[in-house]
Amino acid sequence: MSALRERVGIAEIKVATAPTVLVSYGLGSCLGIALYDAEIKIGALAHTMLPYFRAGIRETRTSKFVDMALQEMIELLQHQGAEPNRLRAKLVGGANMFADAPGTGRSSEGIGSRNIQAAHAILGELGIPLLAEDTGGNNGRTMEFDLENGVVSVLSVRNHDRVIL
Amino acid sequence: MSFTPLNEENLDLLREVSNIGMGHAATALSQMIGETVLLRVPKVTLADIADVPTLLGGAETVVAGITLQLLGDVRGNMLLVFPEESARRLVGRLLGSEDDGIALSEIGISTLKEVGNILASAYLTALGGVLHRVMIPSIPQFAFDMAGAVVDYVLIELSESGDTALLVETEFHGFGDLAEKINGHFFLLPDPASLEVILAAVEEAK
């Protein structure tokens, strides 16, 4: 069966079933979150930008926040028959693209690491096991999430080999 | 705060001020590489942040990207994007080296950052002069990577205040034949509040 590739853009969430492959291109500080229910071969991929939604701000697209995206993904997956206790997570991205932050006015603790920390904390609270991650560093990544087997492969410009999660 | 929609007059004004800035930057670049640098008509685009990587040539396209923050009266970001081959040619030309690997060596990266610094300074000095506003570039930052990854930091900053980005884009290219051509894109991405500052300053300057 040839796999259908579906693109997940910035601040988007997509839910799909086998044999689809969900792809997020060029993740830098953004964090790609994959959730998978192996039993019924369904999963969701979110391309998040910021760690936490702050109450009070007018938001049209809550899926750009790690916390809101996770909540939304679980609801969407449950709606299609996934069991929350079967869900497993994989994380990709959260890089600090510009290593030489001093003097540039950007905070030294990068947004990438804050996204990773938020995802770890929330997955912990939700009791969703984190199976694998390729995060941090200072390189961009493209992630492909195969709904046939839950495998996430990561491509980057600097490492020519794929990282398989 | 989000971007308010721009009318045709605002767009014209933004194109015009950007043209002035970019004219100076092109002069600087042409003196550095010793050949004429041509500019395209600037494009002003109000885009959804999710569409910005596509506007840069695709999220996965490998580029040499130099970003600078805009400091002073007007805040925002500047982004100078060279396709991989152009970055190599530019560094080769400036350092007088045929070595293809030099572009991403420490000296090559430092050279590209300096190019970013010179272009941004020329652009901002001209713009600040016309608008009577203080505009200063930060230290440049460099990444050789997928366009999506190079730009997402800037988009994340913008996304804290809304879902749109305003891009003032100028494409430039050298005069050389195709095999040796250097081309690149210069983007100004003002913060939403600073766009108002720019437009008000243009009105005053008229």
Side-chain angles (χ1 to χ4, degrees):
Chain A
M1 223 175 337
S2 77
L4 179 75
R5 289 167 71 89
E6 230 182 289
R7 182 195 182 96
V8 184
I10 293 176
E12 266 189 338
I13 293 175
K14 276 194 184 152
V15 174
T17 51
T20 306
V21 176
L22 292 172
V23 191
S24 254
Y25 295 99
L27 294 156
S29 301
C30 286
L31 185 68
I33 307 172
L35 290 184
Y36 188 58
D37 180 342
E39 195 79 18
I40 58 169
K41 297 188 175 184
I42 188 171
L45 180 60
H47 185 145
T48 61
M49 312 178 84
L50 289 160
Y52 294 101
F53 173 73
R54 281 172 313 198
I57 55 170
R58 197 176 55 86
E59 267 310 328
T60 49
R61 213 170 304 166
T62 49
S63 52
K64 69 186 175 199
F65 301 97
V66 171
D67 58 345
M68 300 296 274
L70 271 165
Q71 222 174 62
E72 202 177 317
M73 288 163 88
I74 294 166
E75 277 166 26
L76 290 168
L77 286 167
Q78 250 184 309
H79 192 70
Q80 296 201 31
E83 287 288 338
N85 60 13
R86 288 199 304 248
L87 293 178
R88 301 290 180 267
K90 289 179 184 177
L91 302 175
V92 175
N96 181 11
M97 294 302 296
F98 304 104
D100 48 353
T104 55
R106 304 209 194 272
S107 72
S108 55
E109 194 208 6
I111 185 72
S113 8
R114 287 196 283 134
N115 284 335
I116 299 166
Q117 282 163 21
H120 284 176
I122 299 159
L123 287 171
E125 281 165 26
L126 295 167
I128 297 176
L130 174 61
L131 291 191
E133 63 182 309
D134 179 22
T135 55
N138 57 1
N139 59 297
R141 297 170 172 96
T142 284
M143 71 183 287
E144 298 176 346
F145 177 24
D146 189 344
L147 280 310
E148 187 57 49
N149 46 24
V151 167
V152 170
S153 51
V154 185
L155 297 105
S156 69
V157 174
R158 264 166 259 180
N159 316 333
H160 291 285
D161 298 326
R162 277 166 186 261
V163 176
I164 307 292
L165 302 179
Chain B
M1 169 165 195
S2 225
F3 286 102
T4 41
L6 295 168
N7 59 33
E8 202 45 50
E9 197 196 343
N10 297 152
L11 292 175
D12 267 347
L13 290 173
L14 282 172
R15 278 192 285 262
E16 186 51 32
V17 292
S18 182
N19 224 356
I20 295 168
M22 206 51 215
H24 284 72
T27 306
L29 182 62
S30 104
Q31 285 169 359
M32 282 191 280
I33 63 175
E35 67 177 50
T36 309
V37 173
L38 302 176
L39 298 178
R40 292 260 168 99
V41 179
K43 269 193 281 193
V44 179
T45 318
L46 190 60
D48 190 289
I49 44 173
D51 296 330
V52 173
T54 310
L55 295 172
L56 299 181
E60 228 184 356
T61 311
V62 174
V63 297
I66 300 125
T67 67
L68 301 100
Q69 278 183 298
L70 205 50
L71 309 169
D73 295 337
V74 176
R75 309 301 293 258
N77 286 277
M78 278 174 296
L79 181 62
L80 182 61
V81 178
F82 291 104
E84 187 176 351
E85 280 312 302
S86 283
R88 289 186 195 283
R89 282 181 208 130
L90 180 58
V91 172
R93 194 85 63 90
L94 290 170
L95 298 179
S97 165
E98 300 276 309
D99 176 11
D100 221 30
I102 200 164
L104 297 173
S105 66
E106 203 174 327
I107 182 120
I109 290 170
S110 172
T111 303
L112 288 169
K113 280 188 187 171
E114 195 48 36
V115 168
N117 214 350
I118 292 167
L119 294 191
S121 299
Y123 184 95
L124 292 181
T125 304
L127 212 57
V130 173
L131 300 179
H132 302 291
R133 290 293 183 277
V134 178
M135 297 166 95
I136 308 161
S138 74
I139 291 171
Q141 295 175 297
F142 176 86
F144 176 77
D145 215 309
M146 304 174 196
V150 171
V151 78
D152 76 0
Y153 202 112
V154 172
L155 298 178
I156 288 170
E157 280 184 355
L158 279 168
S159 81
E160 292 195 75
S161 50
D163 291 328
T164 48
L166 181 84
L167 291 97
V168 184
E169 174 193 3
T170 312
E171 190 184 344
F172 56 90
H173 59 89
F175 209 57
D177 57 33
L178 213 57
E180 286 168 27
K181 205 160 178 163
I182 291 169
N183 67 308
H185 292 254
F186 188 90
F187 295 89
L188 178 72
L189 292 107
D191 289 348
S194 291
L195 176 61
E196 309 289 327
V197 175
I198 296 174
L199 291 175
V202 174
E203 287 299 325
E204 280 172 35
K206 268 206 272 191

